[in-house]
Amino acid sequence: EAGVAQSPRYKIIEKRQSVAFWCNPISGHATLYWYQQILGQGPKLLIQFQNNGVVDDSQLPKDRFSAERLKGVDSTLKIQPAKLEDSAVYLCASSLASEPNSPLHFGNGTRLTVT
Amino acid sequence: AQSVTQPDIHITVSEGASLELRCNYSYGATPYLFWYVQSPGQGLQLLLKYFSGDTLVQGIKGFEAEFKRSQSSFNLRKPSVHWSDAAEYFCAVGPSYNNNDMRFGAGTRLTVKP
């Protein structure tokens, strides 16, 4: 099966600019996650979708971050305006269902550098 | 809230030597525990998981982990390390009913010497 697809792989922007990341989960996976992985740290959940509804966005900085999954398939994560501390790898993951025995499948991530 | 501590930031082992990566968790109930591996430029891949039952869990690529409730630990082991095992390893803990509050440790970077 095809894995989780993410684009772009790399992005360099200046602070206060905006940026968007795209994720296409594994076909049939209802649950989609966006994680932020800062260098030297483990991934931190930003937002979880179940189909096209938000399950958890408690750790999403909503003043600058937004995400959508309009048709319950692919998703976009946007940052506007970006700050230096947003430099990180943004990982998308999907799973069949929000059950603990449904493993997360991760994409290769988008590495964002904010200068 | 649950949390995970990986005490070792970086470990170096010789190829063919045994490996143990440490993971300590904090969680009020029976935890769901996971080990993931991340190669450079790649996403995370699940190595193994523990929910209940046998405390010794077998995973992919010859890895195993042992859940020790008394020590709040879930250490990852491999009897003989291969050069291709060089990567970052993350321990994670999740609640008993869903994934959306999974917490990852900071990771341990494994270097394998020839």
Side-chain angles (χ1 to χ4, degrees), chain A residues 3 6 52-53 94 104 113:
Chain A
Q6 289 189 249
N52 60 350
S94 68
L104 301 183
T113 302

Side-chain angles (χ1 to χ4, degrees), chain B residues 17-78:
Chain B
S18 64
L19 170 70
E20 182 168 28
L21 302 182
R22 297 184 290 165
C23 171
N24 294 99
Y25 68 90
S26 173
Y27 189 67
T30 300
Y32 283 60
L33 294 160
F34 309 81
W35 274 101
Y36 285 85
V37 61
Q38 185 179 34
S39 297
Q42 304 293 313
L44 281 73
Q45 180 185 21
L46 180 67
L47 285 176
L48 48 78
K49 57 185 184 258
Y50 171 78
F51 297 148
S52 65
D54 192 348
T55 56
L56 186 62
V57 181
Q58 301 298 319
I60 63 172
K61 304 185 181 186
F63 285 92
E64 66 178 26
E66 186 171 13
F67 171 61
K68 293 185 177 180
R69 184 187 300 275
S70 62
Q71 298 178 19
S72 297
S73 69
F74 187 57
N75 294 349
L76 182 71
R77 299 194 295 249
K78 187 169 185 178

